[in-house]
Amino acid sequence: MSEHQSSQNTKRSDRLTKIDQEHHLPTYKRFPVAFVSGQGCRLRDADGNEYLDALAGIAVTSLGHAHPKITEAINKQASRLLHVSNFFITEPQVKLEKRLTEASWMDHVFLSNSGTESFEGAVKLARKYASKRNRGGGIISMHNSFHGRTMAAMASAAAEKQEGFGPMPGGFKQIPFNDIEAFKNEVSDDIAAVVLEPVQGEGGIHVAQQDYLNEIHKICTKNNILLIFDEIQCGMGRTGNLFAKDHFGVQPDIITLAKALGNGVPVGAVLCNKEVSAAIDYGDHGTTFGGNPLASATALAVLDEMEKPGFMEEVRRKGDILKKHLLELQQKFDVITEVRGLGLMLGIEFSFEAKPLVEELLKKGLVANATAGNVLRLVPPLIISEQEINELMQILTDTLTEKINNS
């Protein structure tokens, strides 16, 4: 693929970038690329350059861009009804509630707008459940975890994420991931819940160990501590099962969802069992937009596609193909220290910072991103083809070759 971002082909993107820098709150270090359209696993920028998308909006557009069934569902619902408030029910919302609870083996669901809202809802559920049992409201989270950017989510994160935003909400503590002894040391009547990602996303694509999840589930059950799985990034088919929990055969008390649930339309969910939901009283929680007809209709269309026979098998198969190629690449380049992940949620750890590599990949027409400093995260649309996987690998191989030869 030809080099992108040439001086001749960046005029519109440059102009839009300048306007953005003048008016947008400077919270993102954006790349100077303005995307205007997409189709499947392809993106096109304002200057006509085409890109292969291996990021999917950070594991969001899992069915690709402009998917015909998703587009049809959005158009159809938008022409009927957008909003009525949660004083009433709508058919798409009721159908989505049923589909999600049945697919997850949960009993009840609260529909939200985003992942961080889902996390906040899960914390409230856990603390209300604990309070009715005269337990404390402590929440245990994991090192390298990420649950959002609202206050409770930040309180569950590392101290450097909290700097300048204090005082933080109390009752949160982090422990090492995949370390069962660290969790055992925190077990007490002061703890309401433990929250973890079965596959950590922002933390660098770290997969939970089977024995660890088995043991943490056992301890939680014995001590009446709720187990919360954050599947905001690793759920909705990303790992090759609709829910990441199903890889491990461990059923949590609460699951949080968002991202790919709406394929780009904002929608989230908090799923729980009946023991947890029994703790909630009318008025304890709510949302203006959560579960609105448009978001619910879109999520239903997403589920329709993901629950088709053979869909998840294909995700696992293509994930295996991509991981095999990456492991072969590791044998070729000693700067790759590890390849890890599940399904189409893969991380490549390097012996150097990954962001400059991401910038070079973007110039060659591949969209990916760096996380945890030295990890290249690959979370392409689940519909990626083998040909597109080969194209991805060729761009990555060429870019690494150039980088090493020029170092």
Side-chain angles (χ1 to χ4, degrees), residues 24-42:
H24 188 269
L25 189 70
T27 58
Y28 307 112
K29 288 186 178 179
R30 299 191 201 262
F31 295 102
V33 178
F35 290 120
V36 296
S37 64
Q39 187 71 46
C41 296
R42 304 287 173 174

Side-chain angles (χ1 to χ4, degrees), residues 31 54-55 58 202 354 358 361 367-371 375-379:
F31 295 102
L55 184 59
I58 316 180
E202 297 299 317
V358 169
L361 292 172
V367 180
N369 97 306
T371 190
V375 178
L376 180 71
R377 173 169 45 183
L378 298 177
V379 282

Side-chain angles (χ1 to χ4, degrees), residues 72-92:
E72 179 184 358
I74 292 170
N75 289 339
K76 187 176 180 181
Q77 188 59 49
S79 68
R80 288 180 173 179
L81 184 68
L82 287 178
H83 184 77
V84 294
S85 95
N86 279 304
F87 287 127
F88 307 94
I89 60 173
T90 65
E91 186 175 9

Side-chain angles (χ1 to χ4, degrees), residues 109-158:
V109 61
F110 178 88
L111 297 173
S112 67
N113 304 287
S114 67
T116 195
E117 285 182 58
S118 296
F119 176 77
E120 297 274 343
V123 169
K124 287 180 69 176
L125 279 173
R127 286 185 165 172
K128 190 65 185 290
Y129 174 90
S131 73
K132 290 199 169 184
R133 287 157 178 79
N134 297 315
R135 297 180 61 86
I139 306 293
I140 301 296
S141 61
M142 303 296 150
H143 290 170
N144 300 315
S145 65
F146 182 83
H147 304 292
R149 297 188 186 276
T150 49
M151 293 303 287
M154 282 200 302
S156 73

Side-chain angles (χ1 to χ4, degrees), residues 332-351:
K332 184 176 180 180
F333 296 102
D334 59 10
V335 295
I336 298 177
T337 59
E338 189 177 3
V339 174
R340 54 183 180 256
L342 280 177
L344 284 169
M345 185 175 182
L346 297 170
I348 312 162
E349 184 175 302
F350 291 94
S351 58

Side-chain angles (χ1 to χ4, degrees), residues 16-24 26 30:
L16 290 168
T17 296
K18 186 174 184 297
I19 295 170
D20 179 73
Q21 290 172 343
E22 289 173 353
H23 299 283
H24 188 269
R30 299 191 201 262

Side-chain angles (χ1 to χ4, degrees), residues 126-360:
R127 286 185 165 172
K128 190 65 185 290
Y129 174 90
S131 73
K132 290 199 169 184
R133 287 157 178 79
N134 297 315
R135 297 180 61 86
I139 306 293
I140 301 296
S141 61
M142 303 296 150
H143 290 170
N144 300 315
S145 65
F146 182 83
H147 304 292
R149 297 188 186 276
T150 49
M151 293 303 287
M154 282 200 302
S156 73
E160 57 265 25
K161 299 288 187 182
Q162 304 168 6
E163 188 175 346
F165 296 104
M168 284 286 114
F172 293 85
K173 183 171 183 178
Q174 281 203 315
I175 61 173
F177 187 49
N178 278 327
D179 185 341
I180 197 62
E181 293 303 319
F183 177 61
K184 287 179 180 179
N185 291 336
E186 299 299 329
V187 172
S188 74
D189 289 341
D190 293 328
I191 303 303
V194 56
V195 57
L196 61 87
E197 302 155 87
V199 184
Q200 291 186 329
E202 297 299 317
I205 316 297
H206 294 283
V207 182
Q209 296 168 3
Q210 180 70 62
D211 290 346
Y212 175 73
L213 290 186
N214 290 343
E215 188 67 14
I216 207 168
H217 180 267
K218 179 181 176 181
I219 294 170
C220 284
T221 301
K222 180 180 178 181
N223 292 277
N224 207 12
I225 296 171
L226 296 182
L227 178 57
I228 304 172
F229 277 4
D230 179 334
E231 296 210 16
I232 292 163
Q233 185 169 154
C234 64
M236 293 306 297
R238 176 52 54 187
T239 61
N241 281 324
L242 190 61
F243 297 95
K245 70 180 179 70
D246 295 328
H247 284 282
F248 306 97
V250 174
Q251 182 75 353
D253 300 292
I254 300 173
I255 301 173
T256 58
L257 295 175
K259 286 190 179 284
L261 181 58
N263 205 61
V265 172
V267 58
V270 187
L271 292 146
C272 66
N273 59 37
K274 60 185 177 182
E275 289 77 19
V276 174
S277 63
I280 287 294
D281 298 314
Y282 291 120
D284 277 350
H285 198 48
T287 173
T288 297
F289 298 109
N292 68 73
L294 182 68
S296 295
T298 306
L300 282 168
V302 170
L303 285 170
D304 285 344
E305 294 301 308
M306 289 191 176
E307 291 185 326
K308 283 182 176 178
F311 184 91
M312 290 302 162
E313 288 82 353
E314 272 295 286
V315 175
R316 292 193 290 271
R317 187 182 71 84
K318 289 182 288 191
D320 288 343
I321 291 171
L322 180 53
K323 192 172 186 178
K324 179 176 179 290
H325 287 325
L326 293 174
L327 289 169
E328 290 170 351
L329 195 68
Q330 184 181 11
Q331 297 301 311
K332 184 176 180 180
F333 296 102
D334 59 10
V335 295
I336 298 177
T337 59
E338 189 177 3
V339 174
R340 54 183 180 256
L342 280 177
L344 284 169
M345 185 175 182
L346 297 170
I348 312 162
E349 184 175 302
F350 291 94
S351 58
F352 52 76
E353 289 291 303
K355 188 173 181 181
L357 175 62
V358 169
E359 294 171 347
E360 291 304 310

